[in-house]
Amino acid sequence: MKPLSKILYLEDDPHISEIALIALRDIAGFDVHHCGQGQDAINSFTEFQPDMLLLDVMLPDLDGPQVLEAIRKLDGGASVPAIFMTAKAQKHEQDAYMQQGAISVIVKPFDALTLGETLQSLWSSRGSQSAGEPHFVA
C-alpha cells in the first residue's frame, strides 16, 4: 500500500488552519496543500494530486460536501479518501457526511498533537472498515 504523504486541506479559519498545518507538516511530516476557499481546493486538486482530502464542512463559498462532490467528478478524484472536519457533531449530521462519501468525520476541536496519527490510522485502515460503517473522531 502506498504511504500517505500528500494531503489537500480545506479550512477557511486562519487560527484552525495554522494549528492543523503545524500538526500535519511539522509534527507528522506530510506534504500539505492548504486552501481557504472551496473553489481553490477544486482548482488545486489535479495539479497537487493528493493522497487524501481533509475538508472543513462550513465555508463561505462552497461547503465541504460540495467540494467533495466536485472533486469526485475530476480525473482521479473518485478514489481519493476524504475526511470531513466539523464542529457540527450531532450524529445525524455526521451520518450525512459519511453518506456523502467521507471515510471519517473529525470533530472540532481536534487534538493537534494526534491529528497526523489519526489521519495515518484512517489511511491504513480505510480498506478494513465494513461498507457503511462510520468512523468518528471526537
Side-chain angles (χ1 to χ4, degrees), residues 61-116:
D61 61 339
L62 299 173
D63 66 21
Q66 290 171 315
V67 170
L68 180 58
E69 183 180 346
I71 287 175
R72 291 289 188 235
K73 295 174 183 174
L74 299 174
D75 281 345
S79 61
V80 177
I83 298 167
F84 285 123
M85 291 183 81
T86 184
K88 291 184 159 200
Q90 293 187 19
K91 177 141 176 43
H92 73 277
E93 293 166 323
Q94 292 184 19
D95 289 344
Y97 304 140
M98 297 297 289
Q99 290 172 3
Q100 292 167 347
I103 63 166
S104 184
V105 177
I106 295 176
V107 178
K108 295 177 187 176
F110 56 89
D111 183 347
L113 295 177
T114 62
L115 182 60

Side-chain angles (χ1 to χ4, degrees), residues 5 34 40 98:
S5 64
H34 171 249
D40 291 342
M98 297 297 289

